[in-house]
Amino acid sequence: LLLAVGVGRQSSAPLAAALQWVIRDGVGRAGRMLFSQIGTGFDAETKQHRLAAAWVLNMSCTLESISPLFSNFFLPIACVANLAKGASTIAAASTRGAIYKSFMRWENLGDITAKQETVGVAGDLAGTALGILLSRLTSQNIYSSCIAFSTLSLLHL
């Protein structure tokens, strides 16, 4: 995303890049607020909403990934991607309680939540390390980058 707004170019205006970044993040936050007001039925269709959230997240990451190809349209593409990420975040977070509750044997929701957060942090750290490794391995070849991204997106689902 930083490449798309001109970071690294001699002619780029850092203030313009920062402003676009703030607008993109603001639209994403507004999208989360809006989706939290209109989203319903998360408890009734937990698995479907969770899977839909994963699909939407993958599509928004795809939009972000292609944004450098359309640098003239960076801001609209990035805003749509961030809006979708916001909706995905709300849908995933809204289904979390019902999923955790299904693992309860006793009144131990707090323990289950703590364990899942630990697993989530471990997954984030492993994903970050894998991302750094893959970016070094695929940075010179767009085809291998696309294959790596597509493979990881499918594994995410």
Side-chain angles (χ1 to χ4, degrees):
L1 289 175
L2 292 174
L3 293 174
V5 296
V7 172
R9 290 189 206 142
Q10 294 289 340
S11 62
S12 70
L15 183 59
L19 183 59
Q20 286 188 9
W21 205 264
V22 169
I23 291 169
R24 178 194 74 98
D25 283 351
V27 169
R29 287 186 178 106
R32 282 198 316 246
M33 289 174 30
L34 176 66
F35 192 72
S36 71
Q37 298 302 310
I38 62 172
T40 60
F42 293 113
D43 291 321
E45 301 292 336
T46 302
K47 292 178 186 176
Q48 289 81 2
H49 281 92
R50 189 63 175 220
L51 183 60
W55 274 104
V56 169
L57 178 62
N58 285 350
M59 292 300 106
S60 63
C61 289
T62 301
L63 277 175
E64 285 182 340
S65 296
I66 66 167
S67 66
L69 300 175
F70 305 99
S71 59
N72 290 341
F73 299 102
F74 166 76
L75 192 56
I77 291 172
C79 286
V80 168
N82 234 22
L83 243 158
K85 273 186 173 180
S88 171
T89 300
I90 294 298
S94 298
T95 60
R96 197 170 291 144
I99 291 170
Y100 291 173
K101 194 173 179 181
S102 72
F103 289 116
M104 285 177 43
R105 291 185 184 224
W106 304 280
E107 295 297 321
N108 63 340
L109 184 59
D111 294 337
I112 291 169
T113 302
K115 301 296 185 271
Q116 193 286 327
E117 288 299 317
T118 302
V119 170
V121 169
D124 286 346
L125 290 172
T128 300
L130 181 61
I132 291 169
L133 176 66
L134 284 174
S135 69
R136 289 184 180 204
L137 294 174
T138 64
S139 64
Q140 301 301 320
N141 185 340
I142 190 74
Y143 182 70
S144 60
S145 295
C146 289
I147 289 173
F149 177 76
S150 298
T151 302
L152 292 175
S153 292
L154 287 173
L155 289 174
H156 172 248
L157 295 175

